[in-house]
Amino acid sequence: MARPPRAALKLPAPEESAALPYLVIRDYIAARITGGEWPAGTQLPSERQLHEALGRNRGTIRDALLQLEGEGLVYRQSRSGWFVSPPRVRYDPARPDGFMTYVAEQNRTPQTRTLSAETLKASGWTAECLGVAQGAPSYFIRRLRLIDQRPVLVEQIWANPAMFPGLLEHSLDGSLTQLLRNQYGAEVVRMEIDMSPCLLPEVQAEALRVVPGTPGLYLTRRSLDAAGRVVEYDQEFWRHDAIAVHVNVDFSRRGLQRRRVRR
Amino acid sequence: MARPPRAALKLPAPEESAALPYLVIRDYIAARITGGEWPAGTQLPSERQLHEALGRNRGTIRDALLQLEGEGLVYRQSRSGWFVSPPRVRYDPARPDGFMTYVAEQNRTPQTRTLSAETLKASGWTAECLGVAQGAPSYFIRRLRLIDQRPVLVEQIWANPAMFPGLLEHSLDGSLTQLLRNQYGAEVVRMEIDMSPCLLPEVQAEALRVVPGTPGLYLTRRSLDAAGRVVEYDQEFWRHDAIAVHVNVDFSRRGLQRRRVRR
DNA sequence: GAGTGGTCTAGACCACCTT
DNA sequence: AGGTGGTCTAGACCACTCA
């Protein structure tokens, strides 16, 4: 994402002072964004510039920006400034394609950077998710994913070395889905996905270059093959403004059976 | 949710002053919650009480509380206080059951309150979602849903009067899913669901008795019957800490067909 | 090294909720 | 009427980023 120049501040100051000052400022900025004057990626005037230009306390300016951040209109790169958010990417968990595929389909540029890849002993909870014994070896991979050069999610993957010997020797900077299928013949047949809004924890926030406490979406995925074995267990921490989840559910093709819990 | 009494403040003040003050306070409160000292529903000491007891500025106290709100550990009832959040309810969009059913299954008490129900002319975008002509009549129902007496979501429903004549004469304070099925024979066969984190807009925030700008989850659902007709179009605004979405996807039972867009 | 956001202080007034 | 959070002001210092 080539960075457009910082937006110029054009007075006059906002009208409509009937409302709360911080909302007036919010509207002032929002209007420039939705009006196309400040396109995606534009760096906003600094908090101090806005403070002086709009005649409000910096704290009030900040409230407006935090509001806009929550709405997904702007985001911040920790300590380097506020920027106009690009559109959300659509994620459909009901499709077997991975990140690299669905992002590209939406005419955006996906990128993956492996942060770490190691083999460690699965501790209690991890072991349970993975379906292996406690203390058994487990791959642990951490990756950063970007869209148009902008970090949008950190993921942590656990996988069973017994199923994928030598996995860490391959490049992990691409589609893991395809790697597991093409190299190891792993076919994912079922996925259990959980998600809930969150604040980004410290470690993940750092990798995303945001301040801890930025709103995020926590997404977890357990992929199973036809034999019920866990192909991978995956945790994703998304910038909340980067994703819109879309699910298509079809009741007609299924009977009355309930999901069986398999551990 | 019978309200437990306000929590008593017990000094000593938090240790570990190595970290940022607002995070120290966050940890102090979080420890009391996860430790069971302040159970779900408990009202926290007021900001001013915490301010005096912990020796920090009220703004700093507030930062800690907002952090905890983002994490889903506490919530606020606008202007009446901060409270310990109850556990999230699990929502599985891949199940045909409605709110009343899945909440009850999780041993919580669901409740529905109809805010308004009327017939109006579908405007452009609504008409498109509903699959009717612009200006055609449309039901518009607004409901508040509660779990254990706590408002957790506002929903707005559009439906086609041609398919459900006299719908508004029925009580809408229960399961609409069942009403449509039992009274009109409507069988939902497919659903399109979208969701993304958001901040609660003014109207919805008011109904939930929270301040606008509280974090939320925006969830949209288009229900279709076997003939491809839109049974209902539904928008839900959730308190973000009330819900965890769980999706179970099964690739084995479907061929290679892609979803067909039907309008 | 200059500029940025991140945090903190010590006040203040208001609208609203509760009693 | 008194207590609550919601908002605002006018400062300050710091850690970090960027050029």
Side-chain angles (χ1 to χ4, degrees), chain A residues 6 46-48 58 62 76 79 82:
Chain A
R6 166 172 261 153
S46 78
E47 295 179 2
R48 284 170 181 85
R58 194 178 141 215
R62 207 134 208 290
R76 42 188 166 156
R79 264 169 189 124
W82 292 90

Side-chain angles (χ1 to χ4, degrees), chain A residues 176-213:
Chain A
L176 190 60
T177 315
Q178 286 176 24
L179 182 58
L180 296 184
R181 182 166 47 220
N182 299 341
Q183 295 289 320
Y184 298 94
E187 202 64 52
V188 173
V189 141
R190 199 157 70 81
M191 287 197 318
E192 294 170 11
I193 296 164
D194 281 285
M195 51 197 140
S196 53
C198 72
L199 294 194
L200 297 171
E202 196 164 326
V203 189
Q204 285 74 23
E206 193 178 353
L208 290 171
R209 298 200 43 219
V210 301
V211 64

Side-chain angles (χ1 to χ4, degrees), chain B residues 166-203:
Chain B
L167 175 66
L168 301 191
E169 264 100 80
H170 293 82
S171 163
L172 303 172
D173 284 350
S175 164
L176 189 59
T177 316
Q178 287 177 23
L179 183 57
L180 297 183
R181 181 166 49 220
N182 298 342
Q183 295 289 321
Y184 298 94
E187 201 64 52
V188 173
V189 141
R190 198 158 70 83
M191 287 198 315
E192 294 170 11
I193 296 164
D194 281 285
M195 51 197 137
S196 52
C198 71
L199 293 194
L200 296 170
E202 196 163 326
V203 189

Side-chain angles (χ1 to χ4, degrees), chain B residues 124-132 158 222 224 230 232-233 263:
Chain B
W125 176 73
T126 311
E128 194 178 335
C129 290
L130 248 194
V132 301
W158 285 264
R222 237 162 69 105
L224 309 177
V230 179
E232 57 167 326
Y233 177 69
R263 285 268 151 112

Side-chain angles (χ1 to χ4, degrees), chain B residues 47-48 58 62:
Chain B
E47 295 180 3
R48 283 169 180 86
R58 194 178 141 214
R62 208 135 208 289

